[in-house]
């Protein structure tokens, strides 16, 4: 094995557009700093199975514009055991890997913290369409997912308008309503239902629809974040109470694919570069984040203990103007 120090890079959890741009930045920045780079397939599973490969400058050519992740991704049950973490650390030592860049969400960062506990420095990069990482105002993939959702909903609006219907649209976001909130504003939704805000259909949605019906409105868009649950029941309830023919569309995984937007490519590149800078200085157990538009970093444990703040101001704006 060469004397050069190596860093590894992996993507873990749900994929997100822009992950490839982050992988590219990590590989290029590390190689330019004289480090070796090991690509790890299928998240932490690759460290358990030795499914890894040596990367060079060309390994990441022509990927910045591609959705998904060239490294593949997985959620690993075996890794989430003390034995699994030790086995992964042993693989790193055999490969001469001193640091690992982990691109993913909260679950992936817990894995990174555990691996750092075994002496392998790790730095996390927030990569998830949900924008649900408390320490960062932005996660790689969020902008692409929102723009995809917006485009799809614009199409649904055309047919909702032609038929004088209500379209209930479920967007992704298990614990976080950010995709719903921002796309809801962008498409002029009559109501936006998110897991962070309690709601009562009878008080918060039906009167709003009836009031706007009286002003001449005949078609409606209602956005429901996945984490709210029961979007089919919500659609049925709306139809029964308003008399407006209602259809449900679950956007699903279409939101996770496709070419990353400019914002996702640029943020991913800056975050990937920062992760390598930290590891190259011998600093681990950090999460790279965005704060007031700047790239910063936090201790992983501190980051995992932070509470996400929902954008109440934007939510209230949406309520006021969706009439
Ligand atoms: O965390 C990203 C996400 O797309 C969530 O919005 C969604 O709930 C989940 O992943 C879906 O996961 P899977 O692809 O495993 O069904």
């Amino acid at each position: 094995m060469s004397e050069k120090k190596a860093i590894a890079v992996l993507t873990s959890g749900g994929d997100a557009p822009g992950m490839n741009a982050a992988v590219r930045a990590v590989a290029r920045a590390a190689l330019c700093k004289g480090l070796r780079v090991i690509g790890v397939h299928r998240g932490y599973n690759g460290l358990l199975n030795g499914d890894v490969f040596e990367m060079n400058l060309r390994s990441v050519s022509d990927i910045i514009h591609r959705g998904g992740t060239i490294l593949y991704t997985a959620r690993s049950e075996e890794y989430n055991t003390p034995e699994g973490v030790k086995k992964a650390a042993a693989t790193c030592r055999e490969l001469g890997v001193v640091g690992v860049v982990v691109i993913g969400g909260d679950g992936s960062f817990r894995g990174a913290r555990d691996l750092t506990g075994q002496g392998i420095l790790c730095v996390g990069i927030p990569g998830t369409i949900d924008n649900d990482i408390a320490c960062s105002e932005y996660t790689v993939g969020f902008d692409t997912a929102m723009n995809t959702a917006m485009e799809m909903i614009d199409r649904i609006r055309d047919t909702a308008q032609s038929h004088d219907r209500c379209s209930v649209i479920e967007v992704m976001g298990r614990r976080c309503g950010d995709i719903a909130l921002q796309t809801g504003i962008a498409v002029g939704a009559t109501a936006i239902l998110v897991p962070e805000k309690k709601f009562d259909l009878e008080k918060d949605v039906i009167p709003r629809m009836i009031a706007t019906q009286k002003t001449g409105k005949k078609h409606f868009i209602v956005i429901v974040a996945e984490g709210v649950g029961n979007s089919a029941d919500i659609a049925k309830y709306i139809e029964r109470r308003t008399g407006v023919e209602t259809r449900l569309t679950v956007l699903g995984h279409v939101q996770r694919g496709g070419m990353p937007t400019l914002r996702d490519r640029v943020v991913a590149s800056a975050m990937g570069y920062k992760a390598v800078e930290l590891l190259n200085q011998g600093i681990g157990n950090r999460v790279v984040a965005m704060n007031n538009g700047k790239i910063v970093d936090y201790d992983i444990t501190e980051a995992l203990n932070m509470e996400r703040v929902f954008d109440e101001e934007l939510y209230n704006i949406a309520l006021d103007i969706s009439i």
Side-chain angles (χ1 to χ4, degrees):
M1 194 192 303
S2 134
E3 292 294 296
K4 275 190 188 174
K5 282 193 296 186
I7 66 156
V9 56
L10 61 85
T11 49
S12 165
D15 64 350
M19 279 185 164
N20 281 329
V23 171
R24 172 179 176 272
V26 168
R28 295 260 168 95
L31 289 164
C32 291
K33 288 179 195 300
L35 299 163
R36 286 170 51 227
V37 181
I38 307 289
V40 180
H41 282 145
R42 297 181 175 82
Y44 292 105
N45 281 339
L47 289 179
L48 298 176
N49 310 329
D51 188 3
V52 300
F53 64 105
E54 189 90 27
M55 297 181 99
N56 62 38
L57 287 174
R58 298 280 70 80
S59 310
V60 290
S61 293
D62 297 319
I63 66 166
I64 196 164
H65 62 297
R66 282 172 54 193
T69 160
I70 59 155
L71 295 179
Y72 305 92
T73 185
R75 298 182 175 102
S76 174
E77 282 184 22
E78 188 191 346
Y79 178 74
N80 285 328
T81 61
E83 297 70 38
V85 178
K86 281 190 190 134
K87 195 170 164 191
T91 309
C92 290
R93 277 190 280 273
E94 272 165 36
L95 295 165
V97 167
V98 295
V100 182
V101 179
V102 173
I103 307 165
D106 273 348
S108 312
F109 297 160
R110 279 190 281 278
R113 176 200 58 198
D114 296 347
L115 196 55
T116 307
Q118 293 297 317
I120 308 295
L121 302 178
C122 290
V123 175
I125 294 178
T128 161
I129 63 162
D130 288 359
N131 207 35
D132 62 347
I133 304 294
C135 71
S136 187
E137 66 198 18
Y138 190 78
T139 63
V140 172
F142 180 50
D143 190 55
T144 307
M146 285 190 301
N147 278 289
T148 303
M150 179 181 75
E151 191 189 326
M152 297 299 130
I153 299 164
D154 284 346
R155 289 165 191 241
I156 293 168
R157 171 194 286 276
D158 288 346
T159 161
Q161 180 180 21
S162 308
H163 288 265
D164 293 330
R165 280 178 177 157
C166 172
S167 266
V168 173
I169 296 149
E170 181 185 299
V171 297
M172 275 189 167
R174 261 185 296 215
R175 295 168 299 154
C176 179
D178 280 17
I179 296 178
L181 175 59
Q182 299 220 13
T183 55
I185 290 178
V187 301
T190 301
I192 303 169
L193 307 178
V194 294
E196 292 92 339
K197 300 293 289 183
K198 279 210 168 91
F199 66 89
D200 177 343
L201 287 178
E202 198 51 42
K203 288 202 203 110
D204 303 321
V205 177
I206 306 300
R208 177 180 285 276
M209 284 183 66
I210 291 172
T212 53
Q213 260 177 330
K214 286 189 181 141
T215 66
K217 193 171 171 70
K218 289 190 169 55
H219 65 279
F220 303 86
I221 302 283
V222 173
I223 306 290
V224 182
E226 176 190 14
V228 165
N230 295 324
S231 43
D233 291 345
I234 291 171
K236 278 187 207 135
Y237 189 88
I238 288 174
E239 181 165 276
R240 183 159 50 82
R241 285 288 292 110
T242 61
V244 179
E245 195 180 7
T246 301
R247 293 284 188 270
L248 169 68
T249 305
V250 178
L251 286 187
H253 286 81
V254 70
Q255 297 159 97
R256 282 246 295 266
M259 288 171 91
T261 58
L262 177 145
R263 180 159 201 221
D264 277 327
R265 298 181 201 193
V266 173
V267 173
S269 300
M271 286 185 168
Y273 190 87
K274 175 76 174 180
V276 172
E277 274 191 332
L278 290 167
L279 289 177
N280 200 35
Q281 290 163 37
I283 301 170
N285 209 39
R286 308 295 290 177
V287 177
V288 175
M290 181 178 277
N291 194 340
N292 287 324
K294 297 265 176 265
I295 304 296
V296 295
D297 58 288
Y298 294 98
D299 174 81
I300 293 186
T301 310
E302 196 187 309
L304 288 170
N305 287 334
M306 288 182 192
E307 291 235 349
R308 248 201 122 257
V309 182
F310 182 67
D311 194 339
E312 297 281 339
E313 204 177 322
L314 200 56
Y315 181 77
N316 288 331
I317 289 173
L319 280 183
D320 272 2
I321 62 178
S322 60
I323 43 167

